[in-house]
Amino acid sequence: MSIKSLLDQRMLSAMAATNIPEDCPANIAVSTRAGFGDFQANGAMAAAKRLKTNPRELAQKILENLDLSGIADNVDIAGPGFINIHLAPEFLSEQLQLLSVANKLGTNTPTPQTIVVDYSSPNLAKEMHVGHLRSTIIGDAVARTLEYLGHNIIRQNHMGDWGTQFGMLIAELEEQLGEGEQAELALGDLEIFYQQSKKHFDDNPDFADKARNYVVKLQSGDAHCRTLWQQFIDISVAHSEAIYRDLNVTLTHTDIRPESAYNDDLANVLSDLQQQKLAVEDQGAQVVFLKELADKKGNPSPVIVQKSGGGYLYATTDLASLRYRSGTLKANRILYFIDARQSLHMKQVFTLAKKAGFVTDNICLEHHPFGTMMGKDGKPFKTRSGGTVKLTDLLQEAVERAGTLVKEKNPASTSGEIAEIGRKVGIGAVKYADLSKTRTNDYIFDWETMLSFEGNTAPYLQYAYTRIRSIFRKAGIEPSGIIQNISIAEQQEKALALKLLQFGEVVQQVADDAYPHVLCNYLYELASAYMVFYEHCPILKDGIPPQVRDSRLAICQLTSLVMAQGLDLLGIEVMEQM
Ligand code: ARG
């Protein structure tokens, strides 16, 4: 149990013993001002208002009923009735000793749920671009966090591998192969290939006819078109998987369940909706009108599930996938990491899936939207010539820039070491810059800030980690098994201990709300608390008694474990030296 929950429990029973109504909260919070204890209970004021009595006097009565023996060494009242709790150093020492890797660093083990996480999900017609970055790294961080807590995580990469563009693309591929080109070479740069086929389509009416014809053939299962399509898809998927490897993202080949996987079920989705009289004909199309999502004037929100030509839509596929995730995968919870611009689409699909009984009643459907990645000019991030930035180019630049910085700092390192550290720092910086911002906002992509060794950045945290590790190298000690006999004496030790003990709570918050920046902020505060501790509490200096030295080394070791684990949940690698 977290210290906060423990204090909450104790405070509530003291309040009950003071005859305060049960629904009055204790309002425990970490104290933010020095001299006001480590935690504050602010519930007395609201309770006094309810009971129409003096808050300070009520706080005094609560204190008389409050048992914090073994937990706090001083409790006092401040201002109109704040209760300040000063934790006992022995209590903190004990609690720290309980934080071990075996105890998962203080996180609670929840009842395991089956949780589907839909993320990355790029369209395969084109190369992955920066627009896919946020979904991929935010989704991965949350999936890792939920998995760490012991949930059964099913990743679903809902790749867009279907739709009208593929007629044009396979018609183009067929022509280029006819000219003796190899598929791998023709599709070496999907962006260029897409432009070539688009130009061909616009300029040449015969080619355009063929492309349209190929869409129909593909959908009816024509073998020749299918083979071309499969060649295209395989190469495009390989492009994405190379990015996942570079990005240190946990998505694998088996997590791919693309749009085409639901193809055979789309007619069933439609007929089910028709039978339930949910889908009706409207100008030749099949449409569901949702009054649940009506606009201000009362017009229901239309969801087209079949076009007048017979084609199915993005929403139809999402309905089929929801039915699969609930019925076959037995999900308790489904998380979608998709751009905020798709909010209405997600609302429609969730509402309709529930209404049509495609998902169980108690399932939790969550769209976790995010804003746009902007350039320094405040406009959506683009290349200098105004084109979309390919992810592969962006990541390469990150690694190169980080490599240059690392080399400046360590002129003596070998080129192999520099390459390895540069890779971890560069990729870490790109991921952290994104994860550390409140995801619902737009954010500005800026190389200088994200690669800085100061401030709330990946390099700063990675550097803090290497500083801790270097102490053990200097001391010539293997850090395993030294987390015992911790004794907290100095204020800086206490502050660091309190931070370490918050890890479980923070991880739980990310698991509940899917906002990874909460974990980033925590790690930054932890690293800062460590730096202050390191300044004030010498460890290996002559004259430091062995017990003090060992206790401080144990605190260092715990800090490095929490730091590495926290960064790992974000998908960011650490290193021994930098
Ligand atoms: N392929 C879509 C896009 O690039 C994202 C798919 C998200 N997942 C989903 N189940 N709709 O916009």
Side-chain angles (χ1 to χ4, degrees), residues 531-548:
M531 295 300 192
V532 175
F533 156 84
Y534 183 78
E535 289 291 309
H536 289 85
C537 305
I539 303 169
L540 302 178
K541 223 164 104 183
D542 285 345
I544 297 291
Q547 320 84 281
V548 175

Side-chain angles (χ1 to χ4, degrees), residues 11 14-15 26-29 31 36-37 39-45 55-56 58-63 66 68 74-86:
M11 190 58 71
M15 287 166 74
N27 283 339
I28 303 282
S31 302
F36 287 82
F39 283 87
Q40 279 188 335
N42 303 336
M45 278 89 73
R56 241 193 118 97
L58 188 66
Q60 187 55 47
K61 285 196 192 128
I62 298 174
L63 272 202
L66 181 65
L68 289 181
N74 184 21
V75 185
D76 52 39
I77 299 172
F82 295 104
I83 300 178
N84 296 334
I85 303 167
H86 305 256

Side-chain angles (χ1 to χ4, degrees), residues 81-274:
F82 295 104
I83 300 178
N84 296 334
I85 303 167
H86 305 256
L87 296 172
E90 304 76 36
F91 171 72
L92 288 176
S93 310
E94 257 167 49
Q95 292 292 308
L96 275 188
Q97 262 146 233
L98 294 175
L99 283 191
S100 67
V101 177
N103 289 336
K104 288 206 179 163
L105 303 173
T107 49
N108 280 338
T109 314
T111 318
Q113 287 189 310
T114 295
I115 305 176
V116 167
V117 189
D118 180 321
Y119 69 103
S120 193
S121 308
N123 290 332
L124 295 179
K126 290 187 177 181
E127 204 129 330
M128 274 181 88
H129 55 82
V130 296
H132 299 114
L133 189 64
R134 304 209 70 190
S135 173
T136 307
I137 60 192
I138 299 171
D140 200 52
V142 176
R144 285 168 183 261
T145 304
L146 290 164
E147 205 155 52
Y148 177 69
L149 290 178
H151 293 293
N152 170 30
I153 302 307
I154 306 178
R155 293 167 173 77
Q156 291 282 280
N157 195 346
H158 191 86
M159 287 176 151
D161 63 344
W162 208 239
T164 46
Q165 295 143 313
F166 287 95
M168 171 183 95
L169 293 167
I170 59 178
E172 179 69 25
L173 182 61
E174 183 183 47
E175 297 220 347
Q176 295 201 11
L177 292 178
E179 285 155 18
E181 185 71 90
Q182 293 285 319
E184 280 75 12
L185 277 181
L187 300 173
D189 188 316
L190 289 178
E191 215 50 47
I192 293 177
F193 185 84
Y194 189 93
Q195 281 156 17
Q196 286 167 345
S197 58
K198 181 83 176 68
K199 188 165 181 339
H200 211 162
F201 186 90
D202 292 340
D203 296 352
N204 183 333
D206 290 340
F207 179 81
D209 280 343
K210 184 158 136 195
R212 286 192 204 97
N213 179 25
Y214 274 16
V215 180
V216 181
K217 279 184 143 184
L218 182 63
Q219 287 181 342
S220 58
D222 172 86
H224 174 64
C225 286
R226 276 277 178 166
T227 309
L228 284 167
W229 173 79
Q230 193 63 56
Q231 266 179 301
F232 184 93
I233 296 300
D234 287 348
I235 291 173
S236 183
V237 166
H239 279 268
S240 299
E241 291 187 322
I243 302 252
Y244 297 152
R245 264 195 307 281
D246 290 348
L247 261 184
N248 183 31
V249 156
T250 55
L251 282 169
T252 66
H253 204 68
T254 49
D255 301 323
I256 301 175
R257 193 166 166 94
E259 291 188 11
S260 63
Y262 301 100
N263 209 25
D264 294 342
D265 199 32
L266 301 179
N268 303 332
V269 168
L270 176 62
S271 67
D272 282 352
L273 293 173
Q274 286 169 328

